[in-house]
Amino acid sequence: MRAGAAGIRAAIVDLDGTMLDTVPDFEAALNGMRADLGLGPITQDVIKPLVGKGSEKLVRDALLLDWDAARVDAVFDEALAGYQRHYLAVNGERATLYPGVIEGLQAMRDAGLRLVCVTNKPVAFAEPLLEQKGLAPYFERVFGGDSFAKKKPDPMPLLGACAALDLAPSHVVAIGDSSNDAEAARAAGCFVLTVPYGYNHGRPVQEIKSDGIVGSLLEAAVLISAHNDTAK
């Protein structure tokens, strides 16, 4: 992480691809929606590169695999409603925690860091998912893709989270798996750490300009503590 910079007092943590592998849930919901529209199923390998820019884009991209833009536009409202219905029915059932998530969040809390979750997933999906997986108690606030006028990679959600924490962005690190997280963090003025096991729209995490690649949230906690020790 950048030498000589301010001490970190809070972390903004992404959800899909960072704390939880949710592609199996997306598979069930998208294929339920596609079946309602007379389309065949798609695989997790097809879905994974589509994840990360919010439900609306995910649904649209999943339909553009078969139909042209005009046809997608014509059925989009119906498709999105169907997807949301199917997703709420399966939310969290197939999703799994990545290694080191609980341990990392606990280590950050033990080090005195405040935690906020910022995801492009709608709040109505994110909050029950965090609760179900035992992650909700670690976070002061949860902001979803519908919490602000714009989603990541726009900096607005991160700036909003920093405002909620009453902290300058220079005292906050964002942790995520994709260029969305890094671009938003950079534009907001936050530090950013990336994990290599998530989705990142099918691109190598090494292509992302970040302050470091960490193998787990526990490794992130160790790196943040080391940075703070140096910043003192």
Side-chain angles (χ1 to χ4, degrees):
M1 296 177 70
R2 300 194 295 276
I8 292 168
R9 297 170 58 187
I12 296 172
V13 190
D14 178 51
L15 180 51
D16 300 298
T18 300
M19 291 191 285
L20 290 169
D21 180 7
T22 47
V23 164
D25 283 350
F26 291 134
E27 179 187 30
L30 287 171
N31 283 334
M33 175 268 291
R34 285 172 59 88
D36 292 343
L37 298 172
L39 296 172
I42 53 178
T43 66
Q44 292 186 27
D45 286 340
V46 171
I47 293 166
K48 191 176 290 188
L50 307 181
V51 174
K53 293 187 181 292
S55 297
E56 294 86 355
K57 189 164 189 343
L58 179 62
V59 168
R60 188 175 295 278
D61 287 348
L63 295 176
L64 286 170
L65 296 169
D66 299 87
W67 293 340
D68 63 27
R71 187 167 183 185
V72 172
D73 287 343
V75 302
F76 181 74
D77 289 346
E78 175 190 354
L80 181 61
Y83 167 76
Q84 291 173 333
R85 184 177 66 254
H86 285 289
Y87 195 94
L88 283 171
V90 302
N91 190 10
E93 286 185 3
R94 305 182 184 192
T96 55
L97 279 163
Y98 288 112
V101 170
I102 294 287
E103 297 88 346
L105 295 175
Q106 187 62 55
M108 290 183 214
R109 287 283 298 273
D110 289 346
L113 294 179
R114 299 168 65 191
L115 300 178
V116 171
C117 178
V118 175
T119 172
N120 279 348
K121 184 190 293 294
V123 170
F125 296 166
E127 288 184 337
L129 181 57
L130 290 166
E131 191 71 43
Q132 183 185 142
K133 299 301 181 182
L135 303 176
Y138 291 99
F139 294 99
E140 287 186 28
R141 299 285 296 274
V142 177
F143 296 107
D146 49 356
S147 296
F148 302 98
K150 297 180 180 179
K151 301 178 177 68
K152 297 180 291 184
D154 192 277
M156 183 182 288
L158 271 69
L159 290 170
C162 290
L165 290 164
D166 195 24
L167 289 174
S170 59
H171 289 289
V172 178
V173 60
I175 305 172
D177 68 306
S178 79
S179 57
N180 277 348
D181 304 297
E183 290 172 22
R186 284 282 189 234
C190 299
F191 289 94
V192 58
L193 297 173
T194 48
V195 296
Y197 49 72
Y199 311 139
N200 193 34
H201 323 297
R203 304 295 303 172
V205 72
Q206 289 76 13
E207 294 180 3
I208 300 173
K209 292 181 179 179
S210 73
D211 293 301
I213 299 173
V214 289
S216 67
L217 292 194
L218 182 55
E219 187 176 323
V222 172
L223 185 60
I224 293 165
S225 290
H227 168 87
N228 282 346
D229 287 342
T230 303
K232 287 178 181 176

